[in-house]
Amino acid sequence: QLQASGGGLVQAGGSLRLSCAASGRTFSDYIMGWFRQAPGKEREFVAAISWSGGSTYLADSVKGRFTISRDNAKNTVYLQMNSLKPEDTAVYYCAASRAPRSTYKAHEYNYWGQGTQVTVSS
């Protein structure tokens, strides 16, 4: 089970940190990722992180602004979002994958959280 939290309303240029707590499985066995879906748009990849946290993979649209990290002792993955823009407004989902390496492909993720709303006002 994945439980995402930390979303909210923020002004452009502001920051938010999303958290995703995992339970029921060996957290460190999974690649963890964040995706987002804006109204009327398809779900898109945001970030992924390897089992150990030593390797990260970010979408071009968020590079330099977002950071993904994980704490395997707490079974939690984080998405630090800085310099937020109105186009970052979306429901953000965390997901877990048994893929052999970090992946941006949604169909390679086996488990999904319920999503948390992020709204960035201009």
Side-chain angles (χ1 to χ4, degrees):
Q1 183 176 1
L2 301 174
Q3 183 72 36
S5 61
L9 174 64
V10 63
Q11 288 188 333
S15 298
L16 283 175
R17 188 175 81 153
L18 306 184
S19 299
C20 176
S23 61
R25 301 181 188 276
T26 304
F27 180 72
S28 58
D29 286 349
Y30 291 84
I31 300 295
M32 297 300 296
W34 287 96
F35 290 75
R36 66 186 182 186
Q37 188 167 18
K41 295 187 177 181
E42 294 186 352
R43 188 171 299 190
E44 65 171 350
F45 169 78
V46 176
I49 189 166
S50 63
W51 304 290
S52 67
S55 175
T56 61
Y57 183 17
L58 295 167
D60 288 344
S61 59
V62 305
K63 280 181 181 176
R65 301 188 298 122
F66 291 12
T67 303
I68 186 171
S69 61
R70 68 190 294 165
D71 185 339
N72 287 343
K74 295 182 178 180
N75 288 355
T76 302
V77 61
Y78 305 97
L79 185 68
Q80 178 67 45
M81 306 186 294
N82 299 328
S83 302
L84 283 161
K85 304 175 181 180
E87 51 263 44
D88 293 318
T89 295
V91 177
Y92 283 70
Y93 299 89
C94 61
S97 172
R98 292 193 297 265
R101 63 187 62 83
S102 296
T103 176
Y104 63 90
K105 299 176 181 178
H107 71 269
E108 293 187 348
Y109 285 80
N110 308 96
Y111 305 101
W112 292 82
Q114 85 291 358
T116 184
Q117 176 70 47
V118 171
T119 303
V120 184
S121 63
S122 56

